[in-house]
Amino acid sequence: SGVIFALCAAVIILCAVMNQNYTVKVTGSAILGLVIMISGSFLYFAAMIGYLIDNGEKKEHTVKHTVAYGIAREKLYLLRFANQAVWGTAVYFLTAGLLWLLSALLLPGTDAESVNLFWKTIVTLYPLCIGTLALLHAISMNMENTNLSIVPLALILSVLPWALQIIGMRFEIMTE
């Protein structure tokens, strides 16, 4: 998520530099609209946070040692998910807040309506990010290789909506 944030920050800074030389200005509202359009990619950020946490634990075999110590698997599952949720929440809102702050400080014309829509979108998308984390955690806890656990998640997030849309086009009630 740091790379994506850096790319978004670079776009905001580039727009601020370009605003000095051109008469048509890129406004903060336009940038916030762009962030709203790509906000679906935040689901993949959440998955990457979960992947990084799970991957480190699988390499060090901490699950095996923890279970051998006497902690129940159910408790371990919930605590690991809580850890991912806390880190994912922090990264999610920190990234959104920094993008909003950069656009508000560097670009003119950030109106209240676009800021309100931006934060509504971010808050509305948050449960989906937690759901993505839960799905990834369930998959990675049941697969030996954390790298391969990304494949079913990517298929569920990418292919399933596309397939359901195609199936929905076959029925009249769905196309109306």
Side-chain angles (χ1 to χ4, degrees):
S1 63
V3 172
I4 300 300
F5 172 75
L7 290 174
C8 289
V11 167
I12 292 171
I13 292 169
L14 181 67
C15 289
V17 170
M18 287 174 41
N19 277 348
Q20 295 174 357
N21 299 328
Y22 296 105
T23 56
V24 177
K25 306 287 187 199
V26 177
T27 64
S29 298
I31 293 297
L32 292 180
L34 177 68
V35 171
I36 288 171
M37 287 191 312
I38 64 167
S39 62
S41 62
F42 287 161
L43 295 176
Y44 294 101
F45 297 162
M48 287 308 296
I49 295 295
Y51 167 76
L52 292 174
I53 292 172
D54 276 346
N55 197 25
E57 290 177 352
K58 293 262 179 149
K59 283 182 183 176
E60 301 297 324
H61 303 289
T62 57
V63 174
K64 183 169 67 172
H65 298 295
T66 306
V67 171
Y69 184 68
I71 296 178
R73 285 190 180 269
E74 296 84 16
K75 191 174 190 178
L76 176 67
Y77 178 84
L78 289 173
L79 290 175
R80 285 181 65 189
F81 174 68
N83 182 26
Q84 289 178 354
V86 166
W87 282 105
T89 300
V91 168
Y92 178 72
F93 283 110
L94 184 67
T95 303
L98 288 175
L99 288 174
W100 170 76
L101 186 65
L102 273 176
S103 67
L105 290 177
L106 297 178
L107 298 174
T110 305
D111 61 344
E113 184 180 334
S114 64
V115 170
N116 190 21
L117 180 62
F118 173 75
W119 284 111
K120 280 183 182 178
T121 303
I122 295 300
V123 170
T124 304
L125 195 60
Y126 175 70
L128 291 175
C129 290
I130 295 298
T132 303
L133 269 176
L135 183 62
L136 176 72
H137 186 65
I139 292 169
S140 67
M141 284 291 282
N142 294 310
M143 292 184 78
E144 187 63 33
N145 190 346
T146 309
N147 296 333
L148 292 179
S149 66
I150 293 292
V151 174
L153 182 73
L155 287 174
I156 290 170
L157 290 179
S158 301
V159 176
L160 186 62
W162 174 74
L164 290 175
Q165 184 180 13
I166 289 175
I167 291 170
M169 288 182 193
R170 305 257 320 148
F171 300 101
E172 276 185 41
I173 195 166
M174 299 292 195
T175 58
E176 294 176 0

